[in-house]
Amino acid sequence: MCLAVPAKLIRQDGQQGIVDLHGNRLPVNTMMTPEAKPGDWILIHAGFAIERLNPEAARETFALLEEVDRTSGNSDYRPDAQQNTATPAVRGDMS
Amino acid sequence: MSSTHAFTDNLLQRLREAAAAIGQNVAFMEVCGTHTTSAFRCGLPSVLPPNVRLISGPGCPVCVTSQGDIDRLIDLGARRDVILCTYGDMLRVPGRHGNLENARVRGGRIEVVYSSMDAVKLAQKQPDREVVFAAVGFETTAPATAAAICEAQRLNIGNFSVLASHKRIIPAMRALLTDGEIPKIKGFLCPGHVSVIIGSEVYQSIVDQFGVSCVVGGFEPPQLLSALVCLIELVVNNKTALVNQYPEAVHARGNRWALTLLEKIFEPGAARWRGMGTIPDSGLILRSDYQSFDAARRFNLPEPQEREPAGCICGKVISGAALPGQCRLFGRACTPISPIGPCMVSSEGTCSAWFKYGKSNQRTIPPAHLNELLEVSS
Ligand code: SF4
């Protein structure tokens, strides 16, 4: 119903954060995840972080996501991938 | 073989074994448009055992928005004194007088925003224009609307309002089980990202009252498969249960910050759904303290008039009572290039998924086959 994507929080200033999403930097509002810290993986939906992902429960998922991503030829998904500071196209979809 | 493939193969094996062990037809419903498209994208329908059906439910927010609400939104977007801010999904949804793109061509100022906060910023920058945010979506999206209203109030921005038609999923699931025409289902594949907000334990009442399992699932193919395997294995073991198969994101009680925001700005109220009529408590209505942000009041908008596009059976498609191939317009008059109903416009719509992922040749399904597809033993 509502697509949210996992991204890594890399900077935070009050309720404003910057995430790394597939190598791009995106602004994100973190008012709904006040416990999130830089380095955490968070779910982004419509410009808001809606949850901090639980690294324990997510380890297997992340391994799968990274592997799926690598096999589909996009290696930027890796948390340690080279950063690309280009502004991404804004999709503006709620999905 | 990679570990992902091994993991997926193992799940597929379990899926086949569990399906064979049931020895009867079973149907489950996914109530999330993102699940619908993820399932099609990864080819899930092609690996489903023939006795297992996954039926799409009312999970696409654009599709469930009533035609009257869409017409009202487009009429507002055409006004010269308004800047209408919307998420991109709504742009091409057809209304009585064309869609929002047409309204833009006719001189309406329609802005596609990435976040509800962008609409607040625009209102701040353009104090001489009324800025209306088109607030559509389920509980995943509604907290962002609530946050925008809080921000507009904090900044004392008087030219910002929202035209809200937010929906709540649980009352819709209940309505489907109570009065829906859907085939008897054994379980729901519950929407992962709505559940991030509302939590998993709220589904327990559905499990208890209706004897239908609820499994919360993620969106990657292995997560989707895991949830489906879980649903089928519950049937094999003759159990109904609530299972959270997306624990990395979904907590039992949801996101309390988001829920607090929702609670502050909205209260549950009756809402109109396409094809499902008015369902009590299924909408989010602005609380009395925030009704000054209600665009319907501010612009004195008339009550929406419900009317479906001629020949379109989206209402039945979103409530699981019909398949897209049963619509005589599917793949002929109605395609993603020239959509007639919202289920073909939205990237999450069932008709769009059917068309995109290889079912466009099934323009009309012979009634006998359709019954076989939809009929399941109880
Ligand atoms: S195929 Fe088009 S007209 Fe038919 S139900 Fe789907 S969206 Fe409506």
Side-chain angles (χ1 to χ4, degrees), chain B residues 33 53 57 62 81 92 97 123 157 161 166 198 209 222 236 270 316 327-328 346 375:
Chain B
R53 296 283 164 220
V62 175
D81 54 341
R92 295 182 61 233
H97 301 126
I157 297 176
S161 59
H166 284 304
I198 65 175
Q209 188 182 342
V236 173
K316 287 191 167 206
C327 175
R328 62 189 169 79
S346 170
E375 222 167 69

Side-chain angles (χ1 to χ4, degrees), chain B residues 59-279:
Chain B
C60 154
V62 175
C63 310
V64 301
T65 304
S66 78
Q67 192 61 45
D69 285 342
I70 285 172
D71 288 340
R72 215 154 69 142
L73 186 67
I74 297 169
D75 289 349
L76 195 56
R79 286 174 64 142
R80 299 297 171 99
D81 54 341
V82 161
I83 303 176
L84 183 78
C85 294
T86 176
Y87 296 124
D89 317 44
M90 294 301 289
L91 271 189
R92 295 182 61 233
V93 181
R96 192 177 35 184
H97 301 126
N99 58 27
L100 283 175
E101 277 181 342
N102 304 137
R104 185 189 262 164
V105 170
R106 291 198 301 270
R109 183 152 166 214
I110 319 286
E111 297 285 339
V112 173
V113 292
Y114 164 63
S115 162
S116 55
M117 290 298 199
D118 297 341
V120 179
K121 281 184 204 140
L122 188 62
Q124 200 175 17
K125 266 195 225 148
Q126 306 235 349
D128 53 328
R129 294 283 289 271
E130 282 290 332
V131 173
V132 180
F133 176 63
V136 172
F138 286 92
E139 289 100 328
T140 324
T141 314
T145 305
I149 291 173
C150 288
E151 183 69 353
Q153 191 183 49
R154 186 180 73 82
L155 298 171
N156 203 15
I157 297 176
N159 59 325
F160 173 81
S161 59
V162 301
L163 192 57
S165 50
H166 284 304
K167 303 279 192 290
R168 300 172 69 224
I169 197 67
I170 298 241
M173 290 164 74
R174 288 179 161 279
L176 275 176
L177 291 171
T178 310
D179 356 277
E181 297 171 36
I182 58 165
K184 193 163 170 55
I185 55 166
K186 289 282 189 186
F188 283 112
L189 172 56
C190 298
H193 292 142
V194 165
S195 307
V196 164
I197 305 297
I198 65 175
S200 56
E201 67 181 26
V202 285
Y203 298 103
Q204 189 64 49
S205 63
I206 290 184
V207 177
D208 295 342
Q209 188 182 342
F210 297 97
V212 163
S213 291
C214 287
V215 174
V216 180
F219 299 91
E220 291 302 319
Q223 295 171 318
L224 208 52
L225 262 182
S226 301
L228 197 56
V229 167
C230 177
L231 280 165
I232 300 173
E233 288 181 347
L234 283 168
V235 178
V236 173
N237 294 315
N238 209 13
K239 283 191 177 146
T240 51
L242 162 64
V243 182
N244 179 5
Q245 288 273 40
Y246 196 23
E248 60 268 41
V250 175
H251 303 294
R253 299 217 169 144
N255 179 324
R256 71 189 164 103
W257 305 98
L259 288 173
T260 304
L261 259 178
L262 278 184
E263 175 87 359
K264 178 175 175 189
I265 304 293
F266 295 109
E267 59 189 332
R272 297 173 293 270
W273 293 62
R274 183 182 295 270
M276 294 170 68
T278 298
I279 304 176

Side-chain angles (χ1 to χ4, degrees), chain B residues 309-315 317 324 327-331 334-335 339-345 351-352:
Chain B
C312 172
I313 58 163
C314 271
V317 171
C327 175
R328 62 189 169 79
L329 305 176
F330 178 77
C334 182
T335 66
I340 289 179
C343 299
M344 190 61 94
V345 182
C351 297
S352 159

Side-chain angles (χ1 to χ4, degrees), chain A residues 70-82:
Chain A
R70 265 198 309 279
T71 51
S72 66
N74 176 5
S75 60
D76 284 351
Y77 191 84
R78 297 193 318 272
D80 56 350
Q82 282 293 308

